[in-house]
Amino acid sequence: MGVTCVCQVPILEGKSVQQTVDMLHKKLEQLGAVKQGSFFVDCETYHATSNASGQPSKLLYVMHNSETPLSCLALFEGGPYLTADVNFDVLMVKLKSHFQNAKGHKVESRGTRYRYCDFLVKVGTVTMSSSARGISVEVEYCACVVPGDCWNLMKEFMQSFLGSNVPELPSVFAAKPEGLYAPVDCMDTMVQYLELFSKVRKQQVIPGASVR
């Protein structure tokens, strides 16, 4: 995988979530991007049922990405992070006496994948409890794995369809010891989705927004 940026796109004034998504699709297609199927990313939240140390319990987030269907990612709040196979979901059921699923907190993003030259773009509707909460855009530059070598090019491309909503450099890259010149991996992408989903959980429900 290449360098990836995940961001939340604001809903256009006077428009619904779906109308804003449709406008993003139209802009990408006008650029010459081609649809390449669909995608999803989801996140379940678990909290520890007991804590012998007396310290505040860390939340555990279990995430899935359709790009890596045989993997499951587990991210503790603030780290550490680990990658496991899909049987990790079964393990979490067996560990229910230690980790309790936070019902109603599942967040997911589903939508369409587009290919434009060396770029892969995914525009998703973010939902929680069957309510549309926002829009996610993921942009991957497949020809490079070092953020410092391609970020300006990515910004220029994103500006062509996001306009003034182009995000800043994802903090996950700058936080690494090697900075922008550390090769990326799939965990970098999922950390960005986790940050986006955490923001979405705190947002108010969009009136009349539901997903069927």
Side-chain angles (χ1 to χ4, degrees):
M1 70 177 300
V3 177
T4 302
C5 174
V6 179
C7 66
Q8 184 174 1
V9 176
I11 299 161
L12 295 173
E13 188 174 350
K15 302 291 184 183
S16 66
V17 171
Q18 190 56 52
Q19 287 172 327
T20 305
V21 167
D22 291 341
M23 292 185 75
L24 287 170
H25 287 176
K26 186 176 180 180
K27 286 182 179 180
L28 285 165
E29 289 164 10
Q30 286 173 341
L31 286 173
V34 179
K35 285 185 180 179
Q36 283 195 343
S38 58
F39 82 98
F40 77 85
V41 176
D42 66 27
C43 176
E44 296 263 16
T45 303
Y46 293 84
H47 56 82
T49 55
S50 61
N51 186 357
S53 67
Q55 297 295 320
S57 297
K58 280 187 175 184
L59 295 175
L60 171 62
Y61 303 100
V62 178
M63 305 182 71
H64 306 87
N65 189 335
S66 55
E67 297 292 315
T68 55
L70 299 180
S71 298
C72 174
L73 294 98
L75 299 86
F76 276 98
E77 188 177 19
Y81 310 138
L82 64 90
T83 304
D85 65 28
V86 288
N87 289 326
F88 190 82
D89 290 318
V90 179
L91 178 62
M92 290 306 297
V93 173
K94 294 182 177 180
L95 290 174
K96 62 184 179 182
S97 60
H98 300 282
F99 289 97
Q100 191 71 40
N101 189 320
K103 300 295 184 184
H105 279 69
K106 181 176 181 179
V107 184
E108 65 178 14
S109 179
R110 289 180 179 270
T112 306
R113 301 165 84 250
Y114 282 90
R115 170 74 68 174
Y116 177 76
C117 300
D118 287 327
F119 290 97
L120 185 61
V121 183
K122 302 172 191 172
V123 180
T125 299
V126 181
T127 60
M128 180 177 173
S129 301
S130 299
S131 295
R133 294 295 188 96
I135 300 164
S136 69
V137 170
E138 175 189 335
V139 176
E140 178 183 350
Y141 183 51
C142 304
C144 184
V145 296
V146 179
D149 289 340
C150 64
W151 179 245
N152 288 335
L153 176 63
M154 290 182 69
K155 277 182 68 175
E156 186 176 331
F157 171 65
M158 287 188 285
Q159 208 160 24
S160 65
F161 67 97
L162 293 179
S164 60
N165 295 314
V166 173
E168 296 298 321
L169 178 77
S171 59
V172 68
F173 299 142
K176 294 188 176 186
E178 305 93 333
L180 300 184
Y181 293 92
V184 296
D185 58 37
C186 66
M187 193 63 77
D188 296 329
T189 302
M190 299 307 274
V191 168
Q192 293 180 65
Y193 269 109
L194 181 58
E195 291 173 354
L196 188 154
F197 290 166
S198 295
K199 290 177 186 175
V200 165
R201 285 192 184 94
K202 297 171 185 174
Q203 290 178 186
Q204 291 184 339
V205 177
I206 300 167
S210 62
V211 177
R212 294 179 175 83

